């Protein structure tokens, strides 16, 4: 038994703490494992949403809303788990301070992730508008050249512009 205890390193949660920290390290490890599983699930959800957008099963707006909802749910659950872990330790212990630091880190990560999701959603929306206006500009510019050169009438130019726009919207 003494050979096993000499080769076994203490869990990080029990370093510098009281005896209750060591007893709490097993449930704490379970909580940390749950958090890692949730974080992996969030990464998988992002990949699935990207595939659904690429396959035109959902829109970019739906992707970002779903991603924000999933991020909100993950944050709430992780916060509850960390608060549960915090309750395992006595106030003032190293392990207690470590979990408090994890809570602060989680809050900062959530704020950063939410801001990134919103920024990405705005960029995607801007790209959609830019693509639409590029199609209008291209259709108009092509016919304007014909009008200025005198090779096209107004009637034929606007027919061609409308046809080009319809084709551009169908392709988008």
């Amino acid at each position: 038994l003494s050979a096993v205890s000499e080769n076994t390193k203490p869990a990080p949660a029990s370093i510098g703490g009281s005896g209750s920290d060591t007893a709490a390290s097993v449930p704490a490890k379970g909580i940390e494992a749950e958090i890692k599983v949730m974080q992996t699930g969030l990464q998988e959800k992002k990949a699935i949403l990207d595939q659904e957008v690429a396959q035109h099963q959902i829109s970019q707006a739906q992707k970002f809303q779903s991603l924000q909802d999933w991020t909100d749910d993950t944050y709430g659950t992780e916060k509850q788990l960390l608060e549960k872990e915090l309750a395992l330790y006595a106030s003032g212990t190293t392990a207690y301070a470590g979990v408090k630091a994890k809570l602060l880190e989680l809050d900062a990560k959530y704020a950063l992730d939410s801001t990134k999701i919103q920024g990405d959603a705005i960029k995607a929306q801007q790209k959609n508008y830019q693509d639409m206006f590029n199609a209008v500009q291209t259709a108009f510019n092509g016919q304007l050249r014909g009008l200025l050169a005198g090779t096209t009438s107004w009637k034929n130019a606007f027919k061609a512009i409308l046809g080009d726009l319809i084709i551009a919207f169908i392709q988008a």
Side-chain angles (χ1 to χ4, degrees):
L1 185 62
S2 62
V4 172
S5 63
E6 289 175 6
N7 294 330
T8 308
K9 292 183 179 179
S14 65
I15 297 174
S18 64
S20 65
D21 286 351
T22 304
S25 67
V26 173
K29 286 187 185 290
I31 290 171
E32 289 172 10
E34 282 185 64
I35 290 172
K36 285 183 181 181
V37 167
M38 290 181 57
Q39 290 170 346
T40 302
L42 181 59
Q43 295 303 318
E44 289 174 0
K45 181 69 171 177
K46 287 179 184 178
I48 290 169
L49 289 171
D50 286 339
Q51 289 174 359
E52 288 177 351
V53 168
Q55 296 169 358
H56 301 290
Q57 293 175 348
I58 62 173
S59 68
Q60 286 283 356
Q62 290 171 319
K63 169 192 165 185
F64 290 116
Q65 183 59 50
S66 181
L67 192 56
Q68 184 64 53
D69 292 345
W70 189 269
T71 301
D72 292 345
D73 292 345
T74 301
Y75 167 74
T77 305
E78 281 185 44
K79 188 165 183 136
Q80 287 176 349
L81 288 170
L82 285 173
E83 288 171 350
K84 194 173 167 183
E85 183 179 355
L86 187 66
L88 296 172
Y89 303 110
S91 180
T93 62
T94 305
Y96 185 88
V99 175
K100 283 295 253 186
K102 286 181 188 177
L103 279 166
L104 292 173
E105 185 180 315
L106 177 66
D107 290 340
K109 183 181 179 302
Y110 171 72
L112 182 67
D113 287 349
S114 292
T115 303
K116 185 179 181 318
I117 290 168
Q118 291 170 0
D120 289 347
I122 290 169
K123 284 180 189 173
Q125 190 66 34
Q126 285 176 333
K127 184 184 178 307
N128 288 341
Y129 286 132
Q130 190 64 42
D131 290 347
M132 181 180 67
F133 289 123
N134 283 345
V136 171
Q137 182 180 11
T138 302
F140 187 76
N141 285 345
Q143 296 308 313
L144 183 62
R145 284 189 192 100
L147 284 170
L148 292 175
T151 58
T152 303
S153 68
W154 279 99
K155 178 181 173 183
N156 290 338
F158 280 104
K159 275 185 182 178
I161 289 173
L162 183 60
D164 290 345
L165 290 177
I166 290 172
I167 290 171
F169 289 124
I170 289 172
Q171 288 175 345

